[in-house]
Amino acid sequence: SQQGEEDPQALSIQEGENATMNCSYKTSINNLQWYRQNSGRGLVHLILIRSNEREKHSGRLRVTLDTSKKSSSLLITASRAADTASYFCATENYGQNFVFGPGTRLSVLP
Amino acid sequence: DTGVSQNPRHKITKRGQNVTFRCDPISEHNRLYWYRQTLGQGPEFLTYFQNEAQLEKSRLLSDRFSAERPKGSFSTLEIQRTEQGDSAMYLCASSLGLVWQVNNEQFFGPGTRLTVL
């Protein structure tokens, strides 16, 4: 089974609201990354957080990592219709491959 | 265009036929990854290369699947004797990745959508 599991599976919000999605994983990691996939488009890297970091910001994105709980959260503030996409977390461990979760489908309604 | 490119973008084939996909990574990237993605799911790792060396293969990669990266540049993924269950999007990604380096951002191509009839 995949290591990363996003929660919720689907999320609908109004434009301007904040969106929070969570990711849980099972084994130790070197880093955790979040990716976005728009309908019909490829995956785009959003942000990487290392295992020794607890919080990271990039524009309207805020990512937290709790290695004791093996979980991460992605917060998108002031959402826009263009944020409508699927969001995936992926974990990387030393010498191993990337493991992606099943994703959270975010819909931002105008 | 300096991104990752994949060809073809779409492939329709009959069960039992062989298919080959190509991936051209970002030129200075040492690592190249192949994933498979089905509808509503995240990408599933298939294999990855560090330059021309294939370092890891997933259990998903049956004997019918083979991947090469002969000169450490482009890569091909071949599926022999295709089955309907092989229908999926096949994604390629590359990263800078020096040997044993972690914390790599992957850059993905647009994918090749395979339909097996």
Side-chain angles (χ1 to χ4, degrees):
Chain A
S1 63
Q2 292 186 318
Q3 163 146 276
E5 293 285 338
E6 291 91 344
D7 164 54
Q9 291 185 336
L11 179 62
S12 288
I13 59 173
Q14 295 293 131
E15 207 165 20
E17 294 180 338
N18 296 342
T20 300
M21 52 204 86
N22 304 296
C23 169
S24 60
Y25 57 92
K26 298 176 182 175
T27 66
S28 61
I29 61 172
N30 285 102
N31 68 72
L32 187 143
Q33 304 181 29
W34 285 91
Y35 288 80
R36 179 185 68 212
Q37 186 174 39
N38 297 94
S39 176
R41 298 186 61 183
L43 282 141
V44 174
H45 181 268
L46 295 176
I47 196 166
L48 179 154
I49 186 166
R50 293 176 170 79
S51 60
N52 61 353
E53 296 176 317
R54 292 296 168 258
E55 187 171 316
K56 204 161 183 180
H57 296 256
S58 176
R60 294 184 295 112
L61 305 180
R62 173 178 169 258
V63 169
T64 63
L65 179 65
D66 187 334
T67 53
S68 66
K69 295 181 179 178
K70 292 186 169 60
S71 67
S72 173
S73 68
L74 171 67
L75 168 68
I76 304 173
T77 60
S79 63
R80 306 166 182 168
D83 294 328
T84 294
S86 290
Y87 291 81
F88 298 93
C89 68
T91 54
E92 183 182 19
N93 199 3
Y94 185 82
Q96 297 180 8
N97 62 78
F98 285 83
V99 181
F100 283 80
T104 292
R105 291 179 296 283
L106 174 66
S107 297
V108 181
L109 307 174
Chain B
D1 188 350
T2 57
V4 178
S5 62
Q6 292 186 247
N7 289 287
R9 295 291 305 275
H10 302 273
K11 179 71 177 178
I12 300 174
T13 190
K14 293 182 179 179
R15 189 176 54 186
Q17 298 294 306
N18 299 344
V19 294
T20 301
F21 310 140
R22 175 175 170 132
C23 171
D24 287 89
I26 294 172
S27 59
E28 64 268 25
H29 282 185
N30 298 302
R31 288 192 184 170
L32 187 148
Y33 305 80
W34 284 101
Y35 294 88
R36 181 175 70 187
Q37 186 177 26
T38 54
L39 195 62
Q41 298 298 314
E44 295 176 295
F45 170 81
L46 293 178
T47 188
Y48 93 92
F49 293 84
Q50 178 75 41
N51 300 311
E52 67 275 9
Q54 188 173 16
L55 295 189
E56 190 170 348
K57 293 168 60 174
S58 164
R59 292 187 301 275
L60 294 173
L61 218 64
S62 74
D63 292 344
R64 298 184 297 105
F65 288 71
S66 63
E68 294 183 342
R69 194 183 183 197
K71 298 182 179 179
S73 57
F74 74 92
S75 175
T76 58
L77 177 68
E78 181 183 17
I79 308 174
Q80 296 181 327
R81 305 181 302 282
T82 53
E83 302 172 355
Q84 288 184 324
D86 296 331
S87 294
M89 177 74 84
Y90 289 84
L91 297 169
C92 174
S94 69
S95 69
L96 190 57
L98 300 176
V99 176
W100 298 118
Q101 181 183 26
V102 292
N103 302 319
N104 294 283
E105 172 187 348
Q106 295 183 92
F107 294 81
F108 281 82
T112 294
R113 182 168 296 284
L114 173 66
T115 301
V116 182
L117 301 176

